[in-house]
C-alpha cells in the first residue's frame, strides 16, 4: 500500500483490518498513552499481526530474549515450545550476537530486527508492516527487505505501508494507492505506476527504472514491445542485449 506523505498509515491499516467483511475481529493493544502499541488481530481463524513504524513504540521488555518470548508465551505456548520458537527466530534473523542485550541499548537496525522477530515468532498467517525499513542505513534496509522476502517465500501474506515507490514497484504483487483516506487505485504495480494521473494526484514520482526505460524507448534505444522491467538489473540486460545485437 502506497501512501502520500503525512498520511497516518498505521491508522488506515488498523481500519482496513476492522472493515474486512464477514469476519469477527479481536484486537488487543497497549493504551496509546504509554507509547507502546502492539496489535493482534484474529480473523476467521487466521492470526494477523501488525508492527508499527517506530520500533521504540513496540519494544518494552528488559532484554531481547524476553521481548521475543512475550508473544508466544501469551498465546499459550508451553515453555518448551516457546523456547524452541524463540531460538529458531533468533537464529533465522541473525539476532544471536545481541540476544541478551537490553532493548534500549540496540541500534535502530537491531530494533527493527527484534520488532519483526516479535511478530514472526508467533507464526502469523498475515503480517502488516508499517514502513519496516524507515530511517535505516542501506545495510539494514537490505537486511529487513531480505527478511520480508523470506516471509513471503514461507507462505506468509504481507501487507506493507510505504512511501517508497521504487521498492513497492519491484516487490509488490498488488499496489493500493491511497489519497485523502480513500483508495484511489488498486492493481498490478506496472498498471498503477504507469498511470501519470494518479501519481500526480498523490504527489508521487514514477519508479526510477520505469522513467529510464520510457526515456530509452523514446530515444529508440530500446523497443517499446519489451515487457516493463521490474528492476535495474532487468533494464541493464535489455541494454546489454541491444548492444550485442547492434554490433553483430
Amino acid at each position: 500500500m502506497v501512501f502520500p506523505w503525512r498520511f497516518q498509515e498505521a491508522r488506515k491499516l488498523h481500519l482496513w483490518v476492522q472493515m474486512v467483511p464477514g469476519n469477527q475481529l479481536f484486537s488487543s493493544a497497549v493504551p496509546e498513552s504509554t507509547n507502546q502499541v502492539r496489535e493482534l488481530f484474529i480473523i476467521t481463524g487466521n492470526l494477523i499481526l501488525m508492527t508499527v513504524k517506530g520500533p521504540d513504540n513496540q519494544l518494552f521488555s528488559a532484554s531481547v530474549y524476553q521481548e521475543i518470548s512475550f508473544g508466544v508465551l501469551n498465546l499459550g505456548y508451553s515453555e518448551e515450545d516457546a523456547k524452541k520458537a524463540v531460538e529458531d527466530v533468533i537464529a533465522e534473523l541473525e539476532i544471536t550476537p545481541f540476544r541478551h542485550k537490553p532493548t534500549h541499548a540496540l541500534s535502530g537496525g537491531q530494533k527493527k530486527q527484534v520488532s519483526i522477530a516479535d511478530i514472526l515468532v508467533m507464526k502469523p498467517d498475515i503480517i502488516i508492516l508499517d514502513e519496516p525499513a524507515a530511517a535505516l542505513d542501506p545495510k539494514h534496509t537490505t537486511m529487513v527487505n531480505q527478511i520480508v522476502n523470506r516471509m513471503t517465500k514461507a507462505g506468509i501474506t504481507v501487507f506493507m505501508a510505504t512511501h517508497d515507490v521504487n521498492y513497492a514497484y519491484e516487490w509488490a504483487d498488488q499496489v493500493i494507492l491511497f489519497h485523502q483516506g480513500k483508495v484511489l487505485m488498486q492493481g498490478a504495480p506496472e498498471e498503477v505506476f504507469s498511470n501519470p494521473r494518479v501519481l500526480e494526484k498523490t504527489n508521487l514520482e514514477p519508479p526510477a527504472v520505469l522513467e529510464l526505460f520510457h526515456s530509452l524507448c523514446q530515444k529508440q534505444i530500446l523497443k517499446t514491445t519489451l515487457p516493463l522491467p521490474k528492476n535495474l538489473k532487468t533494464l541493464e540486460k535489455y541494454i546489454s542485449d541491444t548492444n550485442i545485437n547492434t554490433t553483430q
Side-chain angles (χ1 to χ4, degrees):
M1 295 176 224
V2 182
F3 300 88
W5 287 103
R6 297 181 298 277
F7 191 86
Q8 296 184 20
E9 307 96 324
R11 180 173 296 178
K12 172 54 71 175
L13 290 174
H14 188 280
L15 291 173
W16 173 82
V17 173
Q18 293 190 65
M19 291 188 296
V20 176
N23 289 321
Q24 294 183 338
L25 168 69
F26 167 76
S27 174
S28 174
V30 179
E32 289 185 8
S33 59
T34 68
N35 254 349
Q36 297 170 338
V37 181
R38 294 186 183 192
E39 298 289 353
L40 181 150
F41 308 97
I42 301 177
I43 297 180
T44 59
N46 292 326
L47 180 60
I48 302 181
L49 296 171
M50 175 175 173
T51 67
V52 294
K53 178 161 58 178
D56 288 325
N57 295 335
Q58 185 176 333
L59 308 180
F60 54 81
S61 298
S63 72
V64 168
Y65 192 91
Q66 289 175 341
E67 177 66 33
I68 299 172
S69 303
F70 178 87
V72 287
L73 289 172
N74 279 276
L75 282 179
Y77 279 50
S78 69
E79 251 187 74
E80 185 179 342
D81 289 342
K83 183 178 180 180
K84 183 180 185 309
V86 171
E87 293 291 349
D88 287 348
V89 81
I90 282 176
E92 183 182 354
L93 270 59
E94 301 175 20
I95 291 171
T96 303
F98 51 91
R99 59 184 287 160
H100 296 302
K101 273 191 174 183
T103 54
H104 70 267
L106 302 178
S107 70
Q110 290 171 338
K111 287 177 179 178
K112 287 282 187 178
Q113 285 173 265
V114 174
S115 68
I116 293 175
D118 271 358
I119 302 304
L120 206 53
V121 72
M122 291 184 273
K123 304 187 186 305
D125 302 288
I126 299 171
I127 291 181
I128 302 174
L129 300 174
D130 182 8
E131 297 257 30
L136 295 185
D137 59 30
K139 175 185 175 182
H140 285 95
T141 295
T142 299
M143 183 179 293
V144 168
N145 290 345
Q146 288 172 345
I147 291 170
V148 173
N149 288 339
R150 290 206 293 268
M151 291 180 194
T152 57
K153 285 179 181 177
I156 299 171
T157 299
V158 177
F159 286 86
M160 184 186 301
T162 183
H163 301 295
D164 187 342
V165 295
N166 293 300
Y167 180 69
Y169 174 70
E170 181 177 357
W171 173 81
D173 296 315
Q174 283 278 304
V175 170
I176 305 171
L177 190 60
F178 284 85
H179 178 62
Q180 295 182 347
K182 296 180 180 178
V183 174
L184 180 62
M185 186 175 181
Q186 178 177 352
E190 297 88 345
E191 179 187 2
V192 174
F193 291 122
S194 294
N195 189 319
R197 181 187 64 82
V198 298
L199 293 180
E200 182 179 358
K201 193 168 185 178
T202 51
N203 299 316
L204 295 172
E205 296 288 335
V209 68
L210 276 186
E211 284 195 300
L212 183 53
F213 175 72
H214 290 311
S215 175
L216 293 172
C217 287
Q218 287 172 1
K219 294 174 182 176
Q220 298 185 336
I221 296 172
L222 295 178
K223 295 180 180 179
T224 56
T225 54
L226 286 168
L228 293 176
K230 292 288 284 185
N231 49 50
L232 287 174
K233 187 175 181 180
T234 303
L235 183 57
E236 286 172 3
K237 186 176 187 307
Y238 287 173
I239 297 169
S240 176
D241 290 346
T242 299
N243 290 336
I244 291 171
N245 292 334
T246 55
T247 57
Q248 288 178 347

